[in-house]
Amino acid sequence: MTVTDTRLVVDFWFDPACPWAWLTSRWMDEVATVRDVDVRWHVMSLSVLNEGRDLPENYRVLMDDSWAPVRVLVAAARDHGDKVLKPLYDALGTRRHTDRRTDTAAIVAEALAEVALPEDLAAVGATDEVDDLLRASHGEAITLVGDEVGTPVVAIGGVGFFGPVITPAPTGEDAGKLFDGLALVTQVPGFYELKRTRTVGPAV
């Protein structure tokens, strides 16, 4: 049976701060148009992942700034269901990565308004109100792949990997072929890693 003979469940964990996860999510959108897949979107957090680590100052500033969007995403899903995660992620990511903005508070406020979610959800970003839920969602991804990774985490049929890390995001049948290859890899129990040094930045 090929990967296109049956409908597959794909679980996708993202942090909206990560441009690489953004590109992979654009690829997954393409996959959903050319393959029979059901994509379930989940939040993970680079801020949680990097807690207690010795980080360069500029990356520490990014991690401190990245708490608010993931908390708002989790709060939105808590109050309005998981169905809001993808449109809210799209609204956040378009501003952050396509428009290359860094004004996080404004990005969050505008994204909530775009998807017709209550503006008071933004206030959760400055609290630890949903941190238990955030850590639980993040932990589901880490359980699949370990903590020596980043975002995104993609699981096909319950088998997860970090990545793919791609630029630019493939489209059309090229996106489908990459997915087919990843789906086949998940069927090999002892397969763990492929990697090469990145020579370009994310082409968002």
Side-chain angles (χ1 to χ4, degrees):
M1 179 177 292
T2 68
V3 295
T4 55
D5 289 334
T6 187
R7 197 166 188 86
L8 292 176
V9 174
V10 179
D11 289 286
F12 192 110
W13 280 266
F14 64 89
D15 183 323
C18 180
W20 296 103
W22 177 249
L23 284 168
T24 307
S25 73
R26 302 309 91 184
W27 163 70
M28 186 54 63
D29 283 346
E30 286 287 316
V31 170
T33 70
V34 297
R35 294 292 185 268
D36 291 328
V37 299
D38 293 317
V39 185
R40 300 185 300 200
W41 300 87
H42 312 271
V43 181
M44 64 182 298
S45 171
L46 292 172
S47 300
V48 171
L49 184 69
N50 285 288
E51 279 184 313
R53 295 182 178 180
D54 186 16
L55 303 173
E57 180 58 27
N58 62 333
Y59 196 66
R60 170 54 60 198
V61 170
L62 175 63
M63 292 300 94
D64 291 344
D65 188 58
S66 297
W67 281 103
V70 290
R71 285 167 166 163
V72 171
L73 280 156
V74 169
R78 177 197 63 184
D79 295 349
H80 302 279
D82 289 344
K83 65 184 183 297
V84 305
L85 283 175
K86 181 58 162 53
L88 184 53
Y89 175 40
D90 288 345
L92 291 165
T94 297
R95 288 165 173 81
R96 174 73 69 180
H97 303 299
T98 305
D99 299 341
R100 301 185 184 279
R101 290 173 51 187
T102 58
D103 49 337
T104 299
I107 288 170
V108 169
E110 291 172 19
L112 288 170
E114 179 180 321
V115 299
L117 287 169
E119 63 181 22
D120 59 5
L121 283 170
V124 179
T127 76
D128 61 1
E129 178 182 330
V130 295
D131 282 10
D132 286 348
L133 293 173
L134 172 60
R135 292 177 190 280
S137 181
H138 176 86
E140 290 173 357
I142 296 304
T143 296
L144 291 174
V145 298
D147 62 3
E148 296 179 1
V149 298
T151 177
V153 169
V154 176
I156 301 174
V159 179
F161 288 98
F162 164 57
V165 176
I166 47 177
T167 189
T171 60
E173 187 57 21
D174 287 340
K177 289 177 180 177
L178 176 58
F179 178 80
D180 294 344
L182 184 61
L184 288 172
V185 162
T186 66
Q187 298 173 29
V188 181
F191 184 92
Y192 292 102
E193 185 175 5
L194 277 175
K195 190 170 183 178
R196 62 175 174 167
T197 300
R198 282 174 277 182
T199 58
V200 297
V204 177

